[in-house]
Amino acid sequence: MENKEVLGHVAVLLTILIWGTTFISTKVLLQFFTPVEILAVRFLLGYCALYIIYPRRLKGMSFKQELICLFAGMCGICLYYLCENIALSYTLASNVGVLICLAPLFTVILSRFFKLKKEKIGISFCIGCVIAFGGVVLISFDNQSVEFNFIGDCLAVLAALIWAIYSLLTKKLGEFGINTILLTRRVFFYGLIFILPLSFVFDFSLNQDLLFKPEVYFNFLFLGLGASALCFVTWNFAVKILGAVKTGVYQKRSAAKTPSFRTEIQPRGVGTFFNPAFSAGQYIDG
């Protein structure tokens, strides 16, 4: 059991290390494609990669299990990333990255609301979430040095709430004892099903010539193979072992600590900067 927990911690650390830089890749791709186009290409690549790695069929799923997979795909693949990608088109990548750290707080609230006994939550954790929220406020509402966009930042908060729902659904899926890769692939499938009608609502006209630009295909490969195929498997595995709340703490720390790192690696022209107000907020969140 202890070895499994160690593997769970390693898996989530790898996941947040990669996810901590995805905002910049998405921000770069938004210069060429719409949020829905990025979403569709990213998870289509991820689905194909998982099928190549583990080409077995998922059999024997009950209606309840399929329904949970469907809602997980709708929340974790379609709605979360749609809100995040649209938010990035309105506000700074640093804002989005930090506001996403509200997800653990929402996970606590939802787990309490639905009385999930297997999610152990102490008073110290709740106090830590409140203090972390103070860091988020410092980072996001210092009008002298941080750009605030109501639509973009609200969408980022909504994305955090949706991710909390996805995490709890993932924890439930982990209890079924089904192969993590197969489950992740099924969730991707349902996510792509929900993304399909969005292509008719939003302007979906993928320019194939742009796909061959180095800054485009490298970022798509990173998002599709690394941040989607690999990271969703490792995240789902970690949630299965550690629980949604404990795993979510890593996400909060990642979101709070990586804006400065994202600022260092970001290319010019994506409209994101870092400043002392962010540093103060990060210290509180840590």
Side-chain angles (χ1 to χ4, degrees), residues 33-256:
F33 304 100
T34 66
V36 176
E37 290 170 348
I38 296 171
L39 198 58
V41 173
R42 169 180 179 171
F43 283 101
L44 184 60
L45 282 172
Y47 179 85
C48 292
L50 291 179
Y51 190 85
I52 292 170
I53 293 170
Y54 203 76
R56 296 184 182 181
R57 293 182 59 187
L58 181 56
K59 300 178 181 179
M61 292 275 285
S62 67
F63 177 76
K64 178 183 177 181
Q65 291 170 336
E66 289 285 1
L67 198 61
I68 295 175
C69 279
L70 184 146
F71 280 110
M74 179 182 71
C75 294
I77 306 303
C78 180
L79 295 180
Y80 170 76
Y81 281 100
L82 182 65
C83 289
E84 181 187 277
N85 288 359
I86 295 176
L88 285 168
S89 65
Y90 281 98
T91 191
L92 302 174
S94 296
N95 285 31
V96 175
V98 174
L99 289 171
I100 291 298
C101 80
L102 288 170
L105 179 61
F106 290 137
T107 305
V108 170
I109 294 171
L110 291 174
S111 61
R112 285 295 189 186
F113 181 79
F114 291 108
K115 298 180 180 179
L116 301 178
K117 296 180 181 179
K118 293 184 180 181
E119 291 292 342
K120 297 180 180 180
I121 304 164
I123 298 296
S124 59
F125 181 87
C126 296
I127 294 173
C129 283
V130 173
I131 295 173
F133 181 76
V136 173
V137 172
L138 260 182
I139 293 167
S140 301
F141 296 97
D142 181 4
N143 292 325
Q144 293 183 348
S145 55
V146 178
E147 293 183 15
F148 173 71
N149 183 283
F150 180 78
I151 295 176
D153 291 351
C154 284
L155 283 171
V157 174
L158 179 59
L161 175 60
I162 293 170
W163 186 261
I165 297 172
Y166 169 76
S167 294
L168 294 177
L169 290 171
T170 301
K171 176 59 179 174
K172 187 64 179 178
L173 287 173
E175 296 172 2
F176 297 144
I178 302 172
N179 181 276
T180 304
I181 295 178
L182 291 178
L183 271 179
T184 304
R185 198 177 74 200
R186 182 59 60 91
V187 170
F188 276 26
F189 171 77
Y190 284 121
L192 288 167
I193 292 297
F194 281 104
I195 292 170
L196 183 61
L198 293 177
S199 63
F200 297 101
V201 178
F202 295 90
D203 181 23
F204 192 97
S205 55
L206 193 67
N207 188 335
Q208 297 181 7
D209 292 334
L210 291 175
L211 294 175
F212 295 98
K213 294 173 70 72
E215 63 266 40
V216 170
Y217 63 72
F218 277 125
N219 280 293
F220 264 134
L221 287 175
F222 171 69
L223 291 177
L225 304 183
S228 296
L230 173 63
C231 285
F232 268 83
V233 170
T234 53
W235 176 269
N236 292 347
F237 173 78
V239 171
K240 178 181 177 180
I241 301 299
L242 304 176
V245 173
K246 188 180 290 186
T247 308
V249 174
Y250 281 95
Q251 187 182 21
K252 177 192 79 65
R253 293 185 66 84
S254 171

